Amino acid sequence: MAESTPTTAPQLSASSPASPPPATSVETAPAPVTPASPTTAEQSAAESQIAVDTNPIYHPQQLDTDDDDNDSALGDENALSTASISSSILQYRKLHGRTYQNFGGADKVEYWAPNDDAQNDQLDINHHLLNLALDNKLFFAPLSKPTRVLDVGTGTGMWAIDFADEFPDCEVTGIDLSPIQPTWVPPNCKFELDDASQPWTFPDNHFDYIHFRYMIGCFKDWPAVYREAYRCLKPGGWIEHMDCTADVLSDDGSLPKDTVFVEWKKVFKEAGDKMGQTFEVVDNDNYVGWLKEAGFKDVKNTLIKTPVGSWPADPKWKEVGQFNKHMLEGGIEGLGLYIITNVLGWKYEEMQVFIAKVRAGLRNKNWHSYCVWGAAWGQKPYE
């Protein structure tokens, strides 16, 4: 097991989880949204949507792309590892009213999370709650005046933008399958379309630091992706990967052993096994082993608990928990929709019933639960 480095956030070790922030006797979270089960009108709308989306599952969404093809925020024709934005990329695939990336077509890239505004809002909330949990610390690797940084799977680009603000002399590049990043960014930050599961076109020994975050279920061969990062890092450069597990846990016995969260974890395990794209990146320190396999040295890791709900007594962790609960409640359908219906083959109605149970679990004020995030970082040896 890799060396564990202390942080200011509550931590766990893989062998013996630490206790969570202390619970309060009074729950102060905002009142839960009513009700978990759909209304008759909602059921009728859902049935209508199912009829539309039965076959095929995905449908192109026609968009006006005349102005988007020349968006300077997405890089120019000389930018490294950049795909031009064609109308097909912007004709997002649809599944039960949610949109998904269309980079290279569904038969080439299987990414399970939506790219619509609803899910992107949850990504931004997640970025904020992690900033709160980590006291605005964007990385754990011991960086010193980086000049070129790559953010793989940048999503809405919030981490890349914050990093570029913190290091104005550093060139920060964020890559993703979808052009969902903002146009107004720091002058030292740019975004490019790229599929990191394919061989990278960045040159050897190019970056000082390569960052991954929230990438579970993305790649079939993590060691191969890490090897590409190794090649593209300068000698002495650092890689860092921060991700979560599918677990919702508790340390004080308040969470029964047979909650819906057990099934939630099982769903992601089965879907990852079926896709060949595991969701168990942080579990059992898997990413630590893969980093070492790719050649990285001085690999260290740490784990952080993010409470679900406002049960912690500590004001900081109470706020983290409130944002976490809000993010999960709003994003839970997007997290589960594709893998439950398209990968595991459940009916849409079955998925909605299950999601309602998960939401009810998240709202349970008697359960002092938390999610687990992990970060691992390592260095490319000097040659």
Side-chain angles (χ1 to χ4, degrees):
M1 185 175 295
E3 179 183 348
S4 179
T5 299
T7 73
T8 55
Q11 296 177 46
L12 331 142
S13 68
S15 56
S16 56
S19 298
T24 56
S25 57
V26 180
E27 168 69 62
T28 59
V33 182
T34 29
S37 13
T39 63
T40 303
E42 289 171 336
Q43 288 174 335
S44 299
E47 290 168 0
S48 174
Q49 182 66 64
I50 294 166
V52 172
D53 284 355
T54 298
N55 187 22
I57 288 178
Y58 293 113
H59 308 288
Q61 176 178 318
Q62 298 295 332
L63 299 175
D64 182 1
T65 61
D66 291 343
D67 295 330
D68 290 327
D69 288 338
N70 297 316
D71 192 336
S72 61
L74 296 160
D76 57 36
E77 63 182 1
N78 296 318
L80 296 170
S81 200
T82 304
S84 61
I85 304 178
S86 66
S87 59
S88 63
I89 291 174
L90 292 170
Q91 291 173 354
Y92 297 140
R93 301 173 292 154
K94 292 185 70 176
L95 172 60
H96 295 297
R98 306 299 297 268
T99 65
Y100 293 76
Q101 64 81 24
N102 198 32
F103 189 101
D107 57 335
K108 180 180 179 183
V109 183
E110 185 172 29
Y111 181 57
W112 55 275
N115 65 356
D116 51 30
D117 289 343
Q119 204 67 20
N120 294 341
D121 286 345
Q122 307 313 312
L123 291 178
D124 289 344
I125 294 171
N126 189 69
H127 177 70
H128 178 67
L129 76 87
L130 288 174
N131 277 355
L132 288 174
L134 301 176
D135 298 317
N136 293 314
K137 186 178 180 67
L138 295 174
F139 54 90
F140 290 99
L143 303 182
S144 177
K145 297 181 180 179
T147 58
R148 287 198 190 99
V149 165
L150 177 67
D151 185 28
V152 180
T154 194
T156 59
M158 292 299 99
W159 183 93
I161 290 170
D162 285 355
F163 193 96
D165 282 336
E166 185 171 335
F167 295 92
D169 295 327
C170 176
E171 178 187 283
V172 181
T173 302
I175 61 173
D176 201 272
L177 296 170
S178 295
I180 56 175
Q181 303 78 33
T183 301
W184 293 97
V185 298
N188 57 322
C189 180
K190 63 179 178 179
F191 298 111
E192 301 175 354
L193 287 173
D194 205 356
D195 175 12
S197 69
Q198 303 299 312
W200 295 10
T201 57
F202 295 108
D204 296 354
N205 308 318
H206 187 68
F207 295 104
D208 300 289
Y209 176 60
I210 296 179
H211 174 263
F212 297 79
R213 179 179 287 190
Y214 209 2
M215 300 288 287
I216 55 172
C218 286
F219 299 128
K220 296 183 183 297
D221 191 346
W222 269 105
V225 174
Y226 287 159
R227 285 193 294 271
E228 285 295 279
Y230 185 96
R231 176 183 65 79
C232 295
L233 278 170
K234 298 175 182 177
W238 290 87
I239 186 174
E240 184 166 340
H241 184 172
M242 187 172 190
D243 230 314
C244 61
T245 73
D247 289 306
V248 180
L249 305 171
S250 178
D251 290 337
D252 63 1
S254 63
L255 193 65
K257 295 182 179 179
D258 59 348
T259 69
V260 68
F261 301 135
V262 176
E263 182 69 15
W264 179 253
K265 169 77 171 183
K266 182 180 177 182
V267 160
F268 278 91
K269 173 69 167 64
E270 291 181 356
D273 290 346
K274 190 169 183 179
M275 291 190 298
Q277 297 174 195
T278 183
F279 288 85
E280 296 186 329
V281 172
V282 175
D283 305 67
N284 303 312
D285 287 344
N286 286 331
Y287 59 167
V288 172
W290 298 332
L291 286 170
K292 291 180 178 179
E293 181 182 334
F296 291 100
K297 306 298 182 184
D298 299 323
V299 178
K300 297 178 175 63
N301 72 306
T302 189
L303 296 173
I304 306 100
K305 298 175 182 179
T306 54
V308 179
S310 58
W311 58 266
D314 182 276
K316 166 187 164 179
W317 294 104
K318 181 184 293 291
E319 186 177 9
V320 171
Q322 289 171 327
F323 275 105
N324 201 20
K325 176 174 172 287
H326 178 68
M327 183 273 295
L328 290 170
E329 280 194 41
I332 203 78
E333 181 188 78
L335 295 176
L337 177 60
Y338 179 88
I339 66 168
I340 294 174
T341 60
N342 204 50
V343 178
L344 298 183
W346 293 24
K347 293 181 179 179
Y348 180 75
E349 303 95 324
E350 295 173 332
M351 184 276 298
Q352 287 289 10
V353 170
F354 177 58
I355 292 300
K357 291 179 180 178
V358 177
R359 282 202 183 101
L362 294 170
R363 295 168 181 163
N364 192 317
K365 298 178 181 180
N366 297 318
W367 294 352
H368 301 157
S369 56
Y370 60 83
C371 301
V372 180
W373 282 81
W377 59 98
Q379 186 177 34
K380 179 176 179 177
Y382 290 96
E383 298 175 352

